[in-house]
Amino acid sequence: MLTADWSKLPVDLLGLIASRLHFAEDWVRFGGVCKSWRTGILQNGNSLCSFLPWLMLPQRTHESSRTFYSPFKCKSYDICLSGVLDKRCWGSSHGWLVTLGANFDMHLLNPLSGVQISLPPLNKCQNLNTLICTGKSFRDSFVSKVILSASPSSSDCVIFALYSDNWKMAFAKPGDVAWTPLSSIRGHVDDAICHDGKFYAIDTFGEVLIWDFAGFFLKKIAFTPSRDMDNLVYVTTYLVELEGQIYAVMRLLFDTRITDTPCLSTWSFKIYKLDVYNEKWEEVKSLGDWSIFVGSNHSFSISCCAYPECESNCIFFTDDFSGVYYNAVHGYDMGTYNIQNGGMQPLIQENVSAFAFSQPLWIIPSLS
């Protein structure tokens, strides 16, 4: 009786199989079968793989490991990451974390491969000549969001930072020695994305500001959503790319305090699609077979046709207000919002460590 030698499967076939694995943990197990399988998918499969998001939880006190929660498998994984000990992190759709320590050190870190890339010191950016801020304050609350246009392995990678109470922005590329500030900002910026070789940012004046990747300001587009929200305490808006289009996702929050400490809780969402050519916005009542992930990370969308494990027509949100509004009695504000029926479901049942400077965040795992 002949026995098949599974270690000699063709490399192309291994890559094809690996590309159909939607969970990073399955991909790791697949590569752990034998040396030839791991070598094969590293050579030919990794570039084809795209995984479902993980939720990275805040660190436990003075521990170098971080817990990653897979909401579509309801499982948690502890990964030792010495590079994130006592650092604030932001997630991305490209598989890399941006880390910032209390000593102003800033890095890109791939949590699966362990690769780190140094970034220029943001505290020395040209538009912060009069900065009076400790390293701890800079880490905890001075920097609001950092996003990537692509994986650092790509020549198209640009890192975009939003900081100084959301009034300043700058960008850099891997290998740069300094950040390049962006101009034409006159108000608080809620969110930004990189799309089609341009930076898009949305501010509180109801404008979307657009720059090219060289830092030249191109134009602004008015954003005028319906404002039938008289009792609303707070609104923040995210920019998300979905099927090549830009969407504005408005997060509506109420103050649900039971003490003197403010505690913001998500109530609902409104979604608008931007017609860049005609400079018009259209309210969207359904995402169809797509879902959106927002929070203290690069906002992104997922096709639920390609990934049927993910519930469609939903917004998965995490708490990105904790640096100002965190109340240990209530915990983090995060969950899943069903756009069709307006229902809200908790995202995770287990206890989440309370760190105001290190909120839960979304990241799509990647090895490249």
Side-chain angles (χ1 to χ4, degrees):
M1 181 177 178
L2 295 177
T3 302
D5 187 352
W6 294 101
S7 67
K8 294 183 178 179
L9 285 179
V11 171
D12 290 346
L13 179 58
L14 291 173
L16 180 61
I17 296 172
S19 69
R20 296 176 179 270
L21 300 177
H22 295 167
F23 296 96
E25 50 269 44
D26 291 342
W27 195 93
V28 172
R29 293 190 187 102
F30 182 83
V33 171
C34 63
K35 183 177 180 181
S36 63
W37 281 31
R38 176 168 176 79
T39 301
I41 60 176
L42 285 174
Q43 290 177 348
N44 196 48
N46 185 53
S47 62
L48 302 175
C49 292
S50 180
F51 304 124
L52 283 163
W54 278 353
L55 180 66
M56 178 176 164
L57 304 182
Q59 72 179 83
R60 294 179 287 270
T61 305
H62 304 305
E63 290 188 6
S64 59
S65 66
R66 287 289 179 96
T67 299
F68 292 83
Y69 177 70
S70 176
F72 309 107
K73 279 201 169 185
C74 298
K75 292 184 178 180
S76 297
Y77 307 95
D78 289 334
I79 300 178
C80 184
L81 297 172
S82 58
V84 300
L85 178 62
D86 293 329
K87 293 184 179 181
R88 188 170 181 189
C89 301
W90 295 268
S92 81
S93 61
H94 306 291
W96 290 71
L97 297 169
V98 179
T99 68
L100 176 63
N103 58 357
F104 299 106
D105 281 354
M106 206 166 186
H107 292 84
L108 297 175
L109 169 67
N110 188 312
L112 287 186
S113 68
V115 175
Q116 283 199 83
I117 300 173
S118 296
L119 293 177
L122 184 59
N123 60 304
K124 295 183 179 181
C125 191
Q126 295 177 7
N127 57 4
L128 291 177
N129 291 332
T130 59
L131 175 66
I132 303 175
C133 182
T134 66
K136 183 178 182 298
S137 296
F138 194 85
R139 175 201 67 183
D140 293 358
S141 58
F142 196 85
V143 182
S144 305
K145 179 166 284 192
V146 188
I147 63 175
L148 280 68
S149 65
S151 167
S153 61
S154 168
S155 60
D156 297 327
C157 180
V158 180
I159 304 99
F160 178 100
L162 175 61
Y163 52 98
S164 188
D165 291 329
N166 294 46
W167 286 86
K168 296 181 184 297
M169 293 185 286
F171 69 94
K173 295 182 179 181
D176 284 356
V177 296
W179 292 82
T180 301
L182 292 176
S183 59
S184 300
I185 303 169
R186 65 188 185 99
H188 178 282
V189 173
D190 277 348
D191 197 17
I193 63 169
C194 302
H195 169 70
D196 195 25
K198 302 179 182 66
F199 298 116
Y200 289 76
I202 188 163
D203 67 15
T204 52
F205 288 98
E207 294 177 338
V208 173
L209 310 173
I210 307 173
W211 298 262
D212 63 20
F213 276 3
F216 293 105
F217 181 73
L218 301 177
K219 65 177 178 179
K220 58 187 176 184
I221 300 174
F223 175 53
T224 54
S226 59
R227 304 290 293 188
D228 53 343
M229 303 168 276
D230 294 340
N231 297 321
L232 198 63
V233 172
Y234 194 87
V235 179
T236 191
T237 306
Y238 305 93
L239 292 179
V240 186
E241 180 181 343
L242 192 158
E243 290 192 293
Q245 301 291 319
I246 294 177
Y247 286 69
V249 179
M250 295 180 65
R251 183 175 184 172
L252 318 181
L253 303 106
F254 280 110
D255 188 346
T256 59
R257 77 178 75 187
I258 57 174
T259 65
D260 291 335
T261 303
C263 181
L264 294 180
S265 180
T266 301
W267 166 60
S268 182
F269 288 87
K270 286 180 174 290
I271 307 171
Y272 297 84
K273 182 170 69 172
L274 171 62
D275 180 344
V276 176
Y277 182 78
N278 294 307
E279 300 188 5
K280 294 181 179 180
W281 293 90
E282 174 189 355
E283 186 169 1
V284 175
K285 297 296 186 180
S286 173
L287 293 177
D289 291 322
W290 288 78
S291 283
I292 286 173
F293 294 75
V294 299
S296 183
N297 52 267
H298 174 176
S299 304
F300 58 86
S301 59
I302 291 287
S303 167
C304 301
C305 285
Y307 299 92
E309 300 90 347
C310 179
E311 184 179 0
S312 64
N313 203 26
C314 288
I315 298 174
F316 294 80
F317 62 93
T318 63
D319 195 329
D320 51 0
F321 304 95
S322 300
V324 179
Y325 299 104
Y326 181 72
N327 185 331
V329 175
H330 300 280
Y332 294 100
D333 176 34
M334 54 184 181
T336 304
Y337 176 79
N338 187 295
I339 298 171
Q340 182 176 353
N341 58 31
M344 202 90 68
Q345 296 293 330
L347 194 57
I348 185 171
Q349 299 294 337
E350 65 185 78
N351 183 40
V352 178
S353 300
F355 277 82
F357 75 86
S358 181
Q359 300 94 356
L361 58 86
W362 294 108
I363 179 172
I364 295 181
S366 173
L367 284 178
S368 61

